[in-house]
Amino acid sequence: MIPNMHLTKVGGISENTLRKQETSASRPATGFHEILANQMDTPVQFSKHAALRLNDRNISLTGEQINRVADGIGKADEKGIRDSLVLVDDVALVVNVKSRTVITAISQMQENVFSNIDGAVIV
């Protein structure tokens, strides 16, 4: 027998069961929908590569532009697009829709070819 592990019945319920119920009641339950909602609160993530490209190319996005990119990702997701080109003002972003992650970024002022995308969104 392990010390302090004796069980006493209280009204048909053991002390151990009561302790488990108290512990689970004291911490909030996090369900799938809550976790999903929290993930959706993050409008856009940037890969390390994208962050470097933004910095190297002196591209900065305002909060309003990032929100527009997030809206564009949502529209791409509705259409079943996996990897999208998102055009916002004079910036082109290649985005993985499922992870809501910008993969790379360039200024549209130059001639470019985009590969490995299955859709485009202009926001």
Side-chain angles (χ1 to χ4, degrees), residues 82-101:
R82 293 181 311 259
D83 293 297
S84 179
L85 174 67
V86 177
L87 303 173
V88 57
D89 299 330
D90 63 341
V91 178
L93 306 167
V94 176
V95 178
N96 179 276
V97 175
K98 183 178 179 181
S99 66
R100 302 182 69 81
T101 302

Side-chain angles (χ1 to χ4, degrees), residues 34-55:
E34 292 174 86
I35 293 169
L36 180 62
N38 289 338
Q39 288 296 318
M40 297 304 287
D41 286 343
T42 306
V44 180
Q45 297 179 14
F46 292 85
S47 70
K48 188 174 184 179
H49 175 80
L52 288 171
R53 293 298 163 260
L54 287 166
N55 189 39

Side-chain angles (χ1 to χ4, degrees), residues 14-71:
S14 70
E15 287 181 65
N16 195 30
T17 302
L18 288 173
R19 275 191 230 114
K20 284 182 184 177
Q21 289 174 348
E22 288 172 2
T23 304
S24 62
S26 64
R27 65 181 155 175
T30 304
F32 172 77
H33 295 291
E34 292 174 86
I35 293 169
L36 180 62
N38 289 338
Q39 288 296 318
M40 297 304 287
D41 286 343
T42 306
V44 180
Q45 297 179 14
F46 292 85
S47 70
K48 188 174 184 179
H49 175 80
L52 288 171
R53 293 298 163 260
L54 287 166
N55 189 39
D56 291 347
R57 296 170 178 158
N58 294 322
I59 301 170
S60 60
L61 297 171
T62 66
E64 185 265 337
Q65 287 173 315
I66 291 173
N67 287 336
R68 287 171 46 206
V69 170
D71 289 342

